[in-house]
């Protein structure tokens, strides 16, 4: 049997049993005739797992017994999947624990004064409650104001763009979004519609969706919208007026 890459601990006990129960409900082991689980039989493993469920507070000897059971019934891919599952569950428990733990903050005298005033005005029982109840709405309003201001700035920045420059900008941006999948792509459909049947209505829609994407990226991802505009303008060819030579008759 392949040597396990880790050892089951009391903290892993119930997560391991849950994982094994799930694997037993899937057809993978049953259909794989060469799987080591068939050496002792699925019925034997099921019975042993049923017995493990009666252990309410697992000890290290219990874990050693479960470890031996797993070493006889799991192959290397099984160990890899189990390890990833246990790691994910530990991480979720750690994140939940940290999210619920108090955080120590250092406030200036003036800031502490206003937080107390906030709690008193809102009749909140604690300072934390005052912040939790009032800050989400304030933050949402500030974010909306920020988005509105940024949208206005971008509309002004591209107000004099030709339709050709808009198409080039959108195409440049969507190319970047293919490499960076975190970027918003609400303008993709508008771009495709314009490509199939271009008209002023679809160009206006593309302009709106393009600006919405740039605003979202800057507000939520801290990726400056102007970076895409500058790159586009730098790459865009310059339309030069044509000169016609006149010959004397």
């Amino acid at each position: 049997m392949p040597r396990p890459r880790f050892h089951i601990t009391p903290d892993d006990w119930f997560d391991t049993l849950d994982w094994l129960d799930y694997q037993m409900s899937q057809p993978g082991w049953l259909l794989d005739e060469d799987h080591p689980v068939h050496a002792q039989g699925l019925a034997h493993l099921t019975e042993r797992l049923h017995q493990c469920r009666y252990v309410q507070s697992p000890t290290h000897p219990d874990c050693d017994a479960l470890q031996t059971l797993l070493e006889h019934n799991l192959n290397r891919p099984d160990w890899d999947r189990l390890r990833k599952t246990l790691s994910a569950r530990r991480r979720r428990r750690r994140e939940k624990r940290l999210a619920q733990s108090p955080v120590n903050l250092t406030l200036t005298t003036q800031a502490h004064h206003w937080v107390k005033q906030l709690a008193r005005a809102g009749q909140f029982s604690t300072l934390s409650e005052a912040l939790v109840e009032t800050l989400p709405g304030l933050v949402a309003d500030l974010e909306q104001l920020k988005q509105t201001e940024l949208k206005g700035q971008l509309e002004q920045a591209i107000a004099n763009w030709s339709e050709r420059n808009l198409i080039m900008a959108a195409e440049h941006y969507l190319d970047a979004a293919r490499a960076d999948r975190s970027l918003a792509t609400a303008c993709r459909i508008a771009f495709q519609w314009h490509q199939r049947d271009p008209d002023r209505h679809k160009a206006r829609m593309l302009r709106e969706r393009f600006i919405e994407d740039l605003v979202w990226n800057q507000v939520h991802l801290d990726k400056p919208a102007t970076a895409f505009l500058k790159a586009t303008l730098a790459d865009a060819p310059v339309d030069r007026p044509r000169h016609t030579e006149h010959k004397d008759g």
Side-chain angles (χ1 to χ4, degrees):
M1 296 297 166
R3 297 182 61 185
R5 298 183 180 180
F6 62 94
H7 291 275
I8 304 300
T9 67
D11 291 337
D12 299 323
W13 180 267
F14 293 105
D15 290 335
T16 301
L17 296 183
D18 290 342
W19 182 85
L20 289 169
D21 284 339
Y22 174 78
Q23 296 300 321
M24 295 288 287
S25 68
Q26 302 302 305
W29 288 355
L30 181 63
L31 298 177
D32 186 359
E33 297 180 355
D34 297 327
H35 196 281
V37 74
H38 296 295
Q40 299 183 43
L42 290 171
H44 172 75
L45 180 58
T46 301
E47 178 60 26
R48 292 291 302 276
L49 294 180
H50 182 69
Q51 295 172 0
C52 290
R53 286 293 182 184
Y54 285 103
V55 179
Q56 296 182 354
S57 300
T59 63
H60 285 288
D62 294 322
C63 294
D64 292 339
L66 180 59
Q67 185 83 31
T68 301
L69 181 67
L70 297 181
E71 290 174 2
H72 285 89
N73 289 278
L74 301 186
N75 57 24
R76 179 50 57 82
D78 293 330
W79 280 108
D80 290 339
R81 289 196 300 272
L82 176 57
R83 175 181 56 80
K84 292 178 182 178
T85 298
L86 295 180
S87 296
R89 293 201 176 188
R90 290 182 195 132
R91 182 173 62 254
R92 285 196 294 269
R93 284 198 297 269
R94 182 170 60 253
E95 291 172 351
K96 182 178 181 180
R97 184 171 61 253
L98 292 175
Q100 296 174 345
S101 301
V103 178
N104 295 324
L105 296 178
T106 301
L107 300 177
T108 64
T109 302
Q110 188 177 16
H112 185 260
H113 165 76
W114 283 113
V115 174
K116 289 178 63 178
Q117 290 291 95
L118 177 64
R120 183 179 298 112
Q123 296 182 342
F124 299 110
S125 58
T126 65
L127 300 184
S128 294
E129 182 183 359
L131 295 177
V132 170
E133 292 296 329
T134 57
L135 285 184
L138 175 60
V139 171
D141 291 342
L142 291 175
E143 287 185 345
Q144 184 60 48
L145 177 61
K146 181 179 179 181
Q147 293 181 38
T148 301
E149 292 177 348
L150 178 58
K151 180 180 178 182
Q153 294 170 4
L154 292 175
E155 288 175 343
Q156 184 177 2
I158 69 175
N160 296 325
W161 278 15
S162 66
E163 186 173 322
R164 174 172 171 269
N165 282 341
L166 175 63
I167 296 300
M168 291 184 61
E171 189 172 17
H172 172 84
Y173 173 76
L174 291 174
D175 285 342
R178 293 187 185 95
D180 185 352
R181 296 183 180 273
S182 66
L183 295 175
T185 54
C187 70
R188 186 185 303 279
I189 294 178
F191 178 81
Q192 293 171 348
W193 283 354
H194 186 276
Q195 292 292 93
R196 286 197 295 266
D197 186 21
D199 58 37
R200 291 184 178 180
H201 172 71
K202 295 185 180 65
R204 183 170 63 253
M205 182 182 299
L206 173 58
R207 184 184 298 265
E208 293 173 354
R209 298 290 90 79
F210 179 54
I211 291 176
E212 288 177 4
D213 284 349
L214 297 184
V215 169
W216 193 93
N217 294 334
Q218 181 162 322
V219 172
H220 297 281
L221 303 180
D222 292 326
K223 297 189 176 182
T226 54
F228 298 102
L229 302 185
K230 290 180 180 179
T232 302
L233 295 177
D235 296 339
V238 179
D239 292 331
R240 301 182 183 277
R242 295 182 178 180
H243 299 282
T244 303
E245 295 182 359
H246 297 279
K247 296 182 179 180
D248 297 333

